[in-house]
Coordinates of all heavy atoms in Angstrom, one line a residue:
Y220 N 4.4 5.8 26.4 CA 3.2 5.0 25.9 C 3.2 5.0 24.4 O 3.0 3.9 23.8 CB 2.0 5.6 26.6 CG 0.7 4.7 26.3 CD1 0.4 3.8 27.3 CD2 0.0 4.8 25.2 CE1 -0.8 2.9 27.1 CE2 -1.1 4.0 25.0 CZ -1.5 3.1 25.9 OH -2.6 2.3 25.7
E223 N 6.6 3.3 22.9 CA 6.8 1.9 23.2 C 5.6 1.0 22.7 O 5.8 -0.1 22.3 CB 7.1 1.6 24.7 CG 8.2 2.4 25.2 CD 9.6 2.1 24.6 OE1 9.8 1.0 24.2 OE2 10.4 3.0 24.5
H224 N 4.4 1.5 22.9 CA 3.2 0.7 22.8 C 2.4 1.0 21.6 O 1.6 0.1 21.1 CB 2.4 0.7 24.1 CG 3.2 0.4 25.3 ND1 3.6 -0.9 25.5 CD2 3.6 1.2 26.3 CE1 4.3 -0.9 26.7 NE2 4.3 0.4 27.2
V225 N 2.4 2.2 21.1 CA 1.5 2.6 20.0 C 2.2 2.6 18.7 O 1.7 2.1 17.7 CB 0.8 3.9 20.4 CG1 -0.1 4.4 19.2 CG2 -0.1 3.8 21.6
A226 N 3.3 3.3 18.6 CA 4.0 3.5 17.3 C 4.2 2.2 16.6 O 3.9 2.2 15.4 CB 5.3 4.3 17.5
L228 N 2.5 -0.4 16.4 CA 1.2 -0.9 15.9 C 0.8 -0.1 14.7 O -0.1 -0.6 13.9 CB 0.1 -0.8 16.9 CG 0.4 -1.5 18.3 CD1 -0.8 -1.3 19.2 CD2 0.7 -3.0 18.1
L229 N 1.3 1.1 14.5 CA 0.8 1.9 13.4 C 1.5 1.7 12.1 O 0.9 2.0 11.0 CB 0.9 3.4 13.8 CG 0.1 3.9 15.0 CD1 0.4 5.3 15.3 CD2 -1.4 3.6 14.8
R232 N -0.1 0.5 8.7 CA -1.6 0.6 8.7 C -2.0 1.6 7.7 O -1.3 2.5 7.3 CB -2.1 1.0 10.1 CG -2.1 -0.1 11.1 CD -2.7 0.4 12.4 NE -4.1 0.5 12.4 CZ -5.0 -0.5 12.6 NH1 -4.5 -1.7 12.9 NH2 -6.3 -0.3 12.5
D239 N -11.4 3.0 12.7 CA -11.0 1.6 13.0 C -9.7 1.7 13.9 O -9.5 0.9 14.8 CB -10.7 0.8 11.7 CG -10.3 -0.6 12.0 OD1 -11.0 -1.3 12.8 OD2 -9.2 -1.0 11.6
T240 N -8.8 2.6 13.6 CA -7.6 2.7 14.3 C -7.9 3.2 15.8 O -7.3 2.7 16.7 CB -6.6 3.8 13.7 OG1 -6.3 3.3 12.4 CG2 -5.3 3.9 14.5
W241 N -8.9 4.1 15.9 CA -9.3 4.5 17.2 C -9.8 3.3 18.0 O -9.4 3.1 19.2 CB -10.4 5.6 17.1 CG -10.7 6.3 18.4 CD1 -10.1 7.5 18.8 CD2 -11.4 5.8 19.5 NE1 -10.5 7.8 20.0 CE2 -11.3 6.8 20.5 CE3 -12.1 4.7 19.8 CZ2 -11.9 6.7 21.8 CZ3 -12.8 4.6 21.1 CH2 -12.6 5.6 22.0
Q242 N -10.7 2.5 17.4 CA -11.2 1.4 18.1 C -10.2 0.3 18.4 O -10.2 -0.3 19.5 CB -12.3 0.7 17.2 CG -13.5 1.6 16.9 CD -14.4 2.0 18.1 OE1 -14.3 1.3 19.1 NE2 -15.2 3.0 17.9
Y243 N -9.2 0.2 17.5 CA -8.1 -0.8 17.7 C -7.3 -0.4 18.9 O -6.9 -1.2 19.8 CB -7.2 -0.8 16.4 CG -6.1 -1.7 16.4 CD1 -6.3 -3.1 16.3 CD2 -4.8 -1.2 16.5 CE1 -5.2 -4.0 16.3 CE2 -3.7 -2.1 16.5 CZ -3.9 -3.4 16.4 OH -2.8 -4.3 16.4
L244 N -7.0 1.0 19.0 CA -6.1 1.4 20.1 C -6.9 1.5 21.4 O -6.3 1.4 22.5 CB -5.5 2.8 19.8 CG -4.6 2.8 18.6 CD1 -4.1 4.2 18.3 CD2 -3.3 1.9 18.9
Y245 N -8.2 1.6 21.4 CA -9.1 1.7 22.6 C -9.5 0.3 23.0 O -9.2 -0.2 24.0 CB -10.2 2.6 22.4 CG -11.1 2.8 23.6 CD1 -10.7 3.7 24.6 CD2 -12.2 2.0 23.9 CE1 -11.4 3.8 25.8 CE2 -12.9 2.1 25.0 CZ -12.5 3.0 26.0 OH -13.2 3.2 27.2
R246 N -10.3 -0.3 22.1 CA -10.9 -1.6 22.5 C -9.9 -2.8 22.4 O -10.1 -3.8 23.1 CB -12.1 -2.0 21.5 CG -13.2 -1.1 21.7 CD -14.4 -1.5 20.9 NE -15.3 -0.3 20.8 CZ -16.1 0.0 21.8 NH1 -16.2 -0.7 22.9 NH2 -16.9 1.1 21.8
G247 N -8.9 -2.6 21.6 CA -7.9 -3.6 21.4 C -6.9 -3.7 22.6 O -6.1 -4.6 22.6
V248 N -7.1 -2.8 23.5 CA -6.2 -2.8 24.6 C -6.9 -3.0 25.9 O -7.9 -2.3 26.2 CB -5.5 -1.4 24.7 CG1 -4.6 -1.3 25.9 CG2 -4.7 -1.2 23.4
Y249 N -6.6 -4.1 26.6 CA -7.3 -4.4 27.8 C -7.3 -3.3 28.9 O -8.3 -3.0 29.5 CB -6.7 -5.7 28.4 CG -7.6 -6.3 29.5 CD1 -8.9 -6.6 29.3 CD2 -7.0 -6.6 30.7 CE1 -9.7 -7.1 30.3 CE2 -7.8 -7.2 31.7 CZ -9.2 -7.4 31.5 OH -9.9 -7.9 32.5
W250 N -6.1 -2.7 29.0 CA -5.9 -1.6 30.0 C -6.2 -0.3 29.4 O -5.4 0.3 28.7 CB -4.5 -1.6 30.6 CG -4.1 -3.0 31.0 CD1 -3.2 -3.8 30.3 CD2 -4.5 -3.7 32.1 NE1 -3.1 -5.0 31.0 CE2 -3.9 -5.0 32.1 CE3 -5.4 -3.4 33.1 CZ2 -4.2 -5.9 33.0 CZ3 -5.7 -4.4 34.1 CH2 -5.0 -5.6 34.0
R251 N -7.4 0.2 29.5 CA -7.8 1.3 28.7 C -8.3 2.5 29.6 O -8.4 2.4 30.8 CB -8.8 1.0 27.6 CG -10.1 0.4 28.2 CD -10.7 -0.4 27.0 NE -12.1 -0.8 27.3 CZ -12.8 -1.6 26.5 NH1 -12.3 -2.1 25.5 NH2 -14.0 -2.0 26.9
R252 N -8.7 3.6 28.9 CA -9.1 4.8 29.6 C -7.9 5.5 30.3 O -6.8 5.1 30.1 CB -10.3 4.6 30.5 CG -11.4 3.8 29.9 CD -12.5 3.4 30.9 NE -13.3 4.6 31.3 CZ -14.4 4.5 32.1 NH1 -14.8 3.4 32.4 NH2 -15.0 5.6 32.4
G253 N -8.2 6.6 31.0 CA -7.2 7.3 31.7 C -6.5 8.3 30.8 O -6.5 8.2 29.6
I255 N -3.4 9.2 30.1 CA -2.2 8.9 29.3 C -2.6 8.1 28.1 O -2.3 8.5 26.9 CB -1.2 8.0 30.1 CG1 -0.8 8.8 31.4 CG2 0.1 7.7 29.3 CD1 -0.2 10.1 31.3
T256 N -3.4 7.1 28.3 CA -3.9 6.3 27.1 C -4.7 7.1 26.2 O -4.5 7.1 25.0 CB -4.8 5.1 27.6 OG1 -4.1 4.4 28.6 CG2 -5.2 4.2 26.5
M257 N -5.6 7.9 26.7 CA -6.5 8.7 25.9 C -5.8 9.9 25.1 O -6.1 10.2 24.0 CB -7.7 9.2 26.7 CG -8.6 8.1 27.2 SD -9.1 6.8 26.0 CE -10.2 7.8 25.0
A259 N -2.7 9.6 24.2 CA -2.0 8.9 23.1 C -2.9 8.6 21.9 O -2.6 8.9 20.8 CB -1.3 7.6 23.6
I260 N -4.1 8.1 22.2 CA -5.0 7.8 21.2 C -5.5 9.1 20.5 O -5.6 9.2 19.3 CB -6.3 7.1 21.7 CG1 -5.9 5.7 22.3 CG2 -7.4 7.0 20.7 CD1 -7.0 4.9 22.9

Side-chain angles (χ1 to χ4, degrees):
Y220 188 94
E223 305 297 329
H224 304 293
V225 175
L228 304 178
L229 297 178
R232 284 184 76 85
D239 183 55
T240 301
W241 194 97
Q242 299 292 344
Y243 182 71
L244 295 176
Y245 183 83
R246 292 186 197 281
V248 177
Y249 191 53
W250 312 107
R251 58 201 192 189
R252 307 174 72 173
I255 304 303
T256 307
M257 296 310 291
I260 296 176

